[in-house]
Amino acid sequence: MSDAEQRRAGSINGPKGLYIETYGCQMNLYDSERMADVLRPLGYAQAATPEEADLVILNTCHIREKATEKVYSEIGRLRLIKEARRAEGRDLSIAVAGCVAQAEGEEIARRAPAVDLVVGPQSLHKLPELIARAARAKGVALTAEFTAEEKFDALPERRADGVSAFLSVQEGCDKFCTFCVVPYTRGAEYSRPAEAVLAEARALAAQGVREITLIGQNVNAYHGGMDLAELIGEVAKIETVARIRYTTSHPLEMSDALIAAHGEEPKLMPQLHLPVQSGSTRILKAMNRKHTADDYLRIIEKLRAARPDIAMSTDIIVGFPGERDAEFEETMALVREVGFASAFSFKYSRRPGTPAASMQGQVGEDAKAERLARLQGVLNAQQRMFNEAQIGRVLPVLVAGRGRRPGQAHGRSPYLQAVHFDCGVGDPGRLTGEIVSVRIEAASQNSLAARAPNEAAA
Ligand code: SAH
Ligand code: SF4
Ligand code: F3S
């Protein structure tokens, strides 16, 4: 970038407000942090609201139709702020990043002229250049040619915020499930070299991070010079890192070594998100998931043999093309057999350009809604049961900070449950980053309430 461009990009004009709205999955959460890292040297600091910002970035998700539509309504809201600003002789820049940017870059420019720039997930390191160019000629769009490697090489040092952090180790997807846009929006599978991942892990630890979640669309397909089980072992060697998790996994890549790590590596938490999508082998085949319902159940068996208390969570789609009542009942049966600690479930959403969008046997909206309601009834009950089963147990909680009420701290259990507890006299903030054993006294659908042991004894 030339001096003149840098100046236009804002580095010499003093501090500027940056507001990032994040939609979608863990990959976007990570990318949002990294965009803030890239823009910090240009003078951009976090603004509390879009109204106070000079640049608003919408980091978008394309996974279901609703997610995509949300982007356009949000652009509409920002356009009003931008117009009010212009009337005062100032500007608000609007950037669209993430998977909608990648999938619909040109359409965004056409449908939403208020947008100043469009940047795909693998191009976020080019934001400074794009901002400078957008200041010159509006509407410059740069979406990716899928160079995840280049992206990681170009990013500045990571700035951590809080006791838990995501660490991206793998990007993209080559699985091509027939319902899914991710292989098109995120490109080919790419694993970061283990040395780069470990350097970032150490940098996070040095900034006080105690829990690292290794992330990727298919994180267990990791192959950056070692496999995921080995990588977990290496991260575990960082003394101050107390907890390790990984997400999201594909059943096909659940290797015996990784399963064994759940029994052998004490820092690896007893919790796993393993999407199954359907309990019907026929539907799984049409989804191109490359495994059967029985394969999934065998994996769960092995995981529970390695780590009996492991908390399982999953993703399920209802109403995939060709799903009749009989196939849906197979999903219900699988759910009952596994007993999930938590789950995400969705109505199938037809995504343009994916194979399933043009399949025969599309399921009507009413049937989808009915099946989803029935499924969620069972999943919610399972989640409540799992939470209630913790009552009376003493669990180690990694404290994230002060709770909502005075005297309270909040954090997570090993099973990823939200826990809040009273910690008696003194500022609960003193416990941030510590692992405190607390007795669980009450449970609801979404969280646990506890008491610090010294309080419990009193
Ligand atoms: N890589 C992860 C998940 C990526 S998307 C995996 O393979 O499991 C997150 C979840 O969104 C998926 O697991 C799936 O359940 C859901 N999903 C993806 N495409 C969808 C669609 N077209 N309609 C409904 N749900 C979908
Ligand atoms: Fe999508 Fe399937 Fe890849 Fe997951 S594995 S991101 S569901 S294509
Ligand atoms: Fe959405 Fe892209 Fe993640 S489509 S789910 S933000 S990879």
Side-chain angles (χ1 to χ4, degrees):
M1 212 190 310
S2 74
D3 271 4
E5 275 172 337
Q6 281 239 335
R7 199 168 306 128
R8 271 188 225 107
S11 55
I12 301 170
N13 295 342
K16 294 201 161 205
L18 169 67
Y19 189 83
I20 307 182
E21 273 176 43
T22 310
Y23 303 89
C25 65
Q26 73 276 2
M27 308 311 293
N28 268 10
L29 285 168
Y30 179 84
D31 282 352
S32 287
E33 282 191 38
R34 301 307 263 141
M35 286 193 272
D37 288 340
V38 168
L39 293 173
R40 198 171 294 114
L42 298 187
Y44 283 95
Q46 201 182 327
T49 63
E51 283 77 7
E52 291 163 43
D54 298 282
L55 170 63
V56 175
I57 302 178
L58 301 179
N59 196 9
T60 63
C61 175
H62 195 56
I63 202 83
R64 285 168 289 274
E65 194 176 351
K66 246 195 221 146
T68 304
E69 280 313 310
K70 217 182 280 171
V71 177
Y72 288 101
S73 65
E74 193 53 21
I75 294 171
R77 201 172 74 85
L78 293 173
R79 190 181 51 125
L80 300 179
I81 304 176
K82 189 181 178 99
E83 281 167 4
R85 285 277 181 84
R86 285 234 165 116
E88 298 166 10
R90 292 189 306 142
D91 199 11
L92 169 70
S93 300
I94 303 174
V96 177
C99 291
V100 179
Q102 183 62 45
E104 301 190 350
E106 278 168 28
E107 194 180 338
I108 294 169
R110 192 169 48 76
R111 254 178 87 172
V115 170
D116 298 273
L117 62 110
V118 177
V119 54
Q122 311 311 6
S123 308
L124 59 89
H125 57 291
K126 293 190 177 156
L127 262 174
E129 180 188 329
L130 285 174
I131 290 170
R133 278 207 250 157
R136 262 196 326 236
K138 244 186 57 78
V140 179
L142 192 126
T143 50
E145 279 96 54
F146 301 126
T147 47
E149 186 170 3
E150 191 187 316
K151 160 181 164 178
F152 286 116
D153 285 348
L155 286 171
E157 165 126 4
R158 178 81 185 277
R159 178 87 68 92
D161 180 23
V163 299
S164 300
F166 284 141
L167 203 177
S168 175
V169 305
Q170 184 267 350
E171 282 249 358
C173 183
D174 294 337
K175 292 279 191 289
F176 290 93
C177 301
T178 53
F179 50 81
C180 184
V181 295
V182 170
Y184 311 94
T185 63
R186 292 272 170 171
E189 206 160 295
Y190 165 77
S191 290
R192 291 175 76 186
E195 309 83 72
V197 171
L198 292 169
E200 191 168 325
R202 282 189 285 268
L204 289 169
Q207 294 173 70
V209 167
R210 306 293 319 277
E211 174 178 75
I212 291 183
T213 303
L214 304 172
I215 62 167
Q217 258 93 15
N218 279 290
V219 72
N220 54 347
Y222 179 78
H223 53 88
M226 54 178 78
D227 65 20
L228 187 66
E230 291 169 296
L231 185 68
I232 289 167
E234 289 302 311
V235 175
K237 288 182 187 157
I238 305 172
E239 209 173 313
T240 55
V241 172
R243 292 183 166 188
I244 303 170
R245 304 178 192 273
Y246 59 95
T247 200
T248 297
S249 296
H250 193 293
L252 213 57
E253 315 277 356
M254 229 36 239
S255 69
D256 287 342
L258 187 56
I259 293 172
H262 279 278
E264 291 160 5
E265 177 47 67
K267 290 186 178 180
L268 183 58
M269 290 294 101
Q271 168 265 326
L272 180 64
H273 184 67
L274 192 63
V276 65
Q277 313 298 358
S278 169
S280 154
T281 293
R282 195 178 72 80
I283 294 296
L284 287 170
K285 192 155 200 290
M287 287 175 162
N288 193 30
R289 289 290 289 183
K290 301 187 180 84
H291 63 82
T292 65
D294 202 53
D295 293 337
Y296 187 86
L297 292 171
R298 295 292 82 79
I299 293 167
I300 303 275
E301 242 169 44
K302 285 200 227 168
L303 280 161
R304 286 183 169 155
R307 183 74 207 227
D309 63 336
I310 194 163
M312 293 302 309
S313 76
T314 198
D315 292 343
I316 296 173
I317 297 175
V318 300
F320 184 83
E323 184 187 85
R324 298 162 299 194
D325 285 340
E327 284 81 15
F328 174 67
E329 293 305 334
E330 292 181 83
T331 297
M332 293 291 277
L334 180 136
V335 166
R336 289 203 187 91
E337 182 159 353
V338 175
F340 290 103
S342 73
F344 298 100
S345 47
F346 314 98
K347 288 189 267 186
Y348 168 70
S349 171
R350 215 167 162 169
R351 308 307 289 132
T354 59
S358 50
M359 279 182 189
Q360 304 271 308
Q362 297 287 330
V363 177
E365 197 49 38
D366 288 352
K368 282 186 203 169
E370 214 172 282
R371 287 174 195 172
L372 188 67
R374 268 191 66 204
L375 175 65
Q376 291 186 338
V378 174
L379 290 170
N380 289 344
Q382 290 188 343
Q383 183 167 340
R384 235 178 3 255
M385 251 170 51
F386 182 80
N387 287 351
E388 282 166 3
Q390 312 304 323
I391 295 174
R393 287 186 71 190
V394 173
L395 294 181
V397 168
L398 172 60
V399 179
R402 294 185 189 91
R404 238 175 292 160
R405 280 198 242 123
Q408 240 184 21
H410 80 99
R412 296 265 173 190
S413 78
Y415 311 110
L416 204 57
Q417 295 150 300
V419 185
H420 51 90
F421 63 96
D422 293 317
C423 31
V425 283
D427 177 7
R430 72 184 187 280
L431 297 175
T432 302
E434 294 197 17
I435 293 173
V436 180
S437 287
V438 300
R439 186 173 297 279
I440 306 302
E441 298 203 318
S444 68
Q445 179 77 33
N446 295 313
S447 67
L448 303 178
R451 207 175 260 273
N454 52 347
E455 302 288 303

